Amino acid sequence: MKTLTIPPDILNAILQGAALALCVSGGKDGQVMAKAVCTFMREAGFTNKMFLVHADLGKMEWPESLPQCERLAQELTLPLFVVRASEGGLLARLRRRLNKMPQNQAGAPAPFWPSPASRYCTSDEKRGPIDKLLRQYALVICVEGIRAQESANRAKKPTCCLRKQITSTAYNGSVQDVIEGKRLAITWNAIIEWSIDDVWEAYEHSAAELRRRQQLYAGGEKEKALEGWQFSPVYVYGNERVSCRYCIPYGSPNDMRNAGEHDTDGLGEELAEMEKLSGFTFRKGQSIRQYLVKPKT
C-alpha cells in the first residue's frame, strides 16, 4: 500500500493528542484513506483516539453503503459513529424544500434541487452532522478521502486546513499549537495525491480486475463477480462513484443509468414525481425518468 505523506501541521496535532475522525461513505476512497491512516498510526505507535464516522443520507444512499462501513469498522477494529441530519434523510429534506418552494419575481417557482452551486445535500446532510459530533473534542483531525485526480476543483484542495465552522476564532485562520480552552479542528485530505491505481492496489485489486468483474456481473454471473471483492459491490454493478444512488449535482449518465437498473424500491419514481410537481427536472434538459428502467410487459 502507498505510504502516506504526513504534513507537519498534522503530525504536530497528533503529537498534541488530537482525536482522529475518519470520514467514510462506503466508497473506495474513504475506505482506503481509513486503512492507510489507521496503518500509519499503529505502525508509528500512536495511541490517539480514532473512530470512523458515516453521515447516513437514508433512502437516497445505496443500501450497500452502511454495511460496507460496518465491515470496514470490523476490519480496522475501530468504532463507527453513524450521524444523521434529521429524520427521513435527504429524501425527506427534498420533500420539505419542494413544499416550501418560494416564488421568484416572475411568479415561477424557484428550483429546489441541490446543484454544484447549492450543495445543501453535502453541507446540511453530511458536514453539519459530522461537525456536531466533532464539537465534543477540543482538538480533532477530520480525515477525508478526496483525491486531486477526481476533478479540477478537488485538485485545488489543500492537504490540510482549518475546519473553520467549528474552530475557535482565536486561531486567526491558521493551524498552530493548541490554545487552552479553544477548540481546534483540522481537515486532513490524507490521500489527496493518490491515483486511482493506488486506491485499488491498497486492497490488491486493479482496474483491469474490476472490468472483468463488471463483465461477469453484467453477464449474470453475479456471485462469481463479487467473490473476494473488498470494496463496495456497487462498483462491480458498474458505478464509477459511490455516493447517493441518484447523485443530483454530479452523477454521471453511467451511474444514473446504473441506479435506475438497480432501483427496486421506487426511489427514482419518487424523484420523478417531485420533478412533475415542481415543474423542474433535476438538471436542465435532463429528467430522472430518462434513467429509469421501464417494467417489462
Side-chain angles (χ1 to χ4, degrees):
M1 183 169 64
K2 183 181 176 74
T3 302
L4 283 178
T5 300
I6 314 299
D9 286 336
I10 295 299
L11 181 58
N12 185 42
I14 292 171
L15 290 169
Q16 293 183 80
L20 281 79
L22 313 178
C23 296
V24 293
S25 66
K28 62 187 185 308
D29 296 332
Q31 178 175 333
V32 166
M33 171 278 293
K35 179 180 180 181
V37 171
C38 190
T39 299
F40 160 74
M41 293 291 289
R42 288 172 176 167
E43 289 183 349
F46 291 116
T47 58
N48 303 53
K49 182 179 179 63
M50 288 192 294
F51 56 90
L52 305 180
V53 57
H54 172 66
D56 184 8
L57 304 186
K59 191 175 180 179
M60 286 290 287
E61 282 195 352
W62 284 91
E64 292 84 352
S65 290
L66 180 54
Q68 185 69 20
C69 294
E70 292 170 340
R71 285 191 290 272
L72 180 61
Q74 291 181 347
E75 174 193 339
L76 302 179
T77 60
L78 290 176
L80 170 66
F81 292 91
V82 179
V83 297
R84 299 175 177 87
S86 58
E87 187 175 351
L90 178 55
L91 185 61
R93 182 176 289 270
L94 288 172
R95 290 199 186 98
R96 290 194 296 271
R97 287 178 66 93
L98 172 59
N99 293 335
K100 296 178 180 179
M101 198 163 56
Q103 301 291 310
N104 65 22
Q105 291 181 352
F112 70 100
W113 299 106
S115 68
S118 178
R119 292 179 58 200
Y120 65 83
C121 49
T122 297
S123 61
D124 297 355
E125 295 292 322
K126 292 184 178 181
R127 190 181 305 120
I130 290 173
D131 281 350
K132 184 177 180 180
L133 174 66
L134 300 189
R135 285 180 182 276
Q136 300 176 25
Y137 302 92
L139 176 58
V140 62
I141 301 170
C142 183
V143 196
E144 299 186 357
I146 69 169
R147 295 183 300 108
Q149 191 184 56
E150 292 182 286
S151 70
N153 284 337
R154 291 194 167 188
K156 297 174 185 176
K157 296 282 188 181
T159 304
C160 65
C161 60
L162 282 185
R163 202 170 181 89
K164 293 182 180 180
Q165 299 92 332
I166 57 171
T167 291
S168 169
T169 56
Y171 290 94
N172 295 318
S174 63
V175 179
Q176 54 188 272
D177 287 345
V178 176
I179 301 172
E180 187 174 354
K182 304 295 183 181
R183 183 187 301 108
L184 173 59
I186 306 170
T187 295
W188 177 22
N189 298 315
I191 62 168
I192 190 77
E193 298 177 351
W194 287 34
S195 70
I196 183 60
D197 290 334
D198 293 330
V199 170
W200 298 134
E201 288 169 5
Y203 278 86
E204 299 182 349
H205 293 305
S206 68
E209 176 196 351
L210 175 57
R211 288 193 293 272
R212 289 194 298 271
R213 289 177 178 274
Q214 289 172 340
Q215 290 168 358
L216 286 170
Y217 188 88
E221 297 184 72
K222 297 183 178 181
E223 289 187 8
K224 185 176 181 180
L226 292 167
E227 184 179 359
W229 180 249
Q230 298 180 78
F231 291 102
S232 170
V234 177
Y235 295 112
V236 177
Y237 301 168
N239 260 51
E240 300 159 10
R241 297 175 62 244
V242 176
S243 54
C244 286
R245 284 190 274 168
Y246 298 95
C247 180
I248 295 168
Y250 294 115
S252 68
N254 171 78
D255 287 4
M256 299 291 280
R257 283 192 297 269
N258 202 38
E261 291 171 3
H262 290 82
D263 192 333
T264 59
D265 60 3
L267 173 61
E269 288 292 345
E270 291 184 66
L271 296 174
E273 183 63 18
M274 290 185 191
E275 290 183 325
K276 181 179 178 181
L277 290 171
S278 70
F280 284 92
T281 53
F282 83 107
R283 291 181 195 153
K284 187 176 181 180
Q286 291 186 62
S287 169
I288 291 286
R289 194 168 294 283
Q290 74 191 70
Y291 296 108
L292 303 185
V293 177
K294 295 179 180 179
K296 295 180 180 180
T297 57

